[in-house]
Amino acid sequence: MYINYTCLQYPDVRLRMRDGSKLRGFFAKKYSSEELMHNHREDMNIYRYPLVQYKVIDGIPTLLGLDEGSNLILDIGICEEELNIEGTRFCLDRAEIITESTIFGTTDKISQYVFKTPWLALNQENITKYNAADEIEKDDLLTKILIGNLLSMAKYLNFRVEDEIRVKLNVKPMRLNFKGKVMVGFRGEFKSNFSLPNYIGIGKSVSRGYGSIKKI
């Protein structure tokens, strides 16, 4: 399967990784009439895999558009002149844009990926299982969660998974502050027979930049 994909980066601007939510806030407010920009409809959340994602990759503000979100992000990259993050204004003199039809889904080839931002794999239900597990059980649990994340993503992108998704995971836990709470995230790498475009998000809070991957 191929999906429409646009990656927009502002290489002359530098932000912190945690500014991904502020980046989202700026564009969601400015383009409030576009549901894809914020996943809200009449003050209600739209529960789906976000087709527009905001992230800070190696300090660089990055916007990702998938399927219907692809042209939307392309238009922003062409037209936007200024970025305002909590009163700090950045002039957007230069934008780097990649827009293409890219392969997505299970393939015969094994690809290797690195998490460029922390992967939020655990929720209230499986954090208890994770904390009670031994080292091998934790690896098994995280592998199942990652496969589940890929299946969920594929469902919302209208890709029917007919082949087994295989994953080899190598991550380490890290503590991070998320919405004022201390949570466990994961950094590291994984290999899979599932082809993904660069910087697409996996797991929880991908619209705010978490779980962003890059192919090695």
Side-chain angles (χ1 to χ4, degrees):
M1 171 182 169
Y2 285 83
I3 59 172
N4 293 327
Y5 165 90
T6 297
C7 179
L8 165 64
Q9 293 190 302
Y10 297 112
D12 297 330
V13 179
R14 284 294 181 271
L15 297 177
R16 299 162 297 183
M17 189 267 155
R18 63 178 178 268
D19 290 331
S21 60
K22 299 172 186 175
L23 188 67
R24 180 179 187 270
F26 170 78
F27 284 104
K29 183 178 181 180
K30 185 165 185 177
Y31 297 91
S32 59
S33 63
E34 298 283 356
E35 290 182 357
L36 292 179
M37 297 296 285
H38 46 71
N39 277 337
H40 285 83
R41 182 182 298 144
E42 298 179 355
D43 297 325
M44 295 180 63
N45 288 329
I46 303 173
Y47 292 101
R48 64 185 176 198
Y49 183 78
L51 301 182
V52 171
Q53 302 174 18
Y54 309 86
K55 46 204 76 190
V56 179
I57 305 294
D58 296 329
I60 299 174
T62 303
L63 278 69
L64 209 67
L66 305 168
D67 278 351
E68 303 100 295
S70 178
N71 285 337
L72 187 57
I73 296 305
L74 179 59
D75 290 342
I76 289 173
I78 294 171
C79 301
E80 204 65 40
E81 297 179 350
E82 185 180 79
L83 179 64
N84 188 330
I85 301 294
E86 291 192 330
T88 301
R89 297 180 181 274
F90 301 91
C91 185
L92 303 177
D93 292 325
R94 183 165 62 106
E96 293 183 353
I97 305 172
I98 297 174
T99 185
E100 61 186 5
S101 179
T102 187
I103 192 168
F104 174 90
T106 49
T107 69
D108 295 331
K109 179 182 177 182
I110 302 297
S111 298
Q112 185 173 1
Y113 304 93
V114 59
F115 282 107
K116 298 294 290 183
T117 59
W119 172 41
L120 300 184
L122 303 174
N123 55 31
Q124 291 182 344
E125 180 180 334
N126 53 36
I127 183 64
T128 302
K129 293 181 182 179
Y130 178 82
N131 288 333
D134 61 31
E135 186 174 351
I136 294 176
E137 291 170 336
K138 285 179 178 178
D139 286 345
D140 289 342
L141 176 61
L142 290 175
T143 296
K144 291 177 181 178
I145 291 172
L146 180 55
I147 292 173
N149 290 165
L150 295 175
L151 286 169
S152 178
M153 183 195 308
K155 176 183 176 181
Y156 281 104
L157 291 174
N158 297 314
F159 174 74
R160 183 176 179 180
V161 179
E162 296 181 344
D163 299 318
E164 178 187 8
I165 298 176
R166 295 182 293 139
V167 165
K168 182 178 180 181
L169 195 60
N170 180 22
V171 295
K172 293 186 180 299
M174 59 174 290
R175 293 194 175 275
L176 53 88
N177 190 302
F178 180 75
K179 295 183 179 180
K181 297 181 179 180
V182 177
M183 294 185 63
V184 177
F186 296 88
R187 288 275 200 178
E189 303 174 354
F190 69 94
K191 295 179 181 179
S192 179
N193 63 332
F194 203 97
S195 182
L196 297 163
N198 283 337
Y199 307 134
I200 197 170
I202 297 173
K204 296 176 61 180
S205 293
V206 300
S207 66
R208 291 175 169 83
Y210 288 92
S212 300
I213 59 92
K214 185 177 183 181
K215 186 176 291 186
I216 299 177

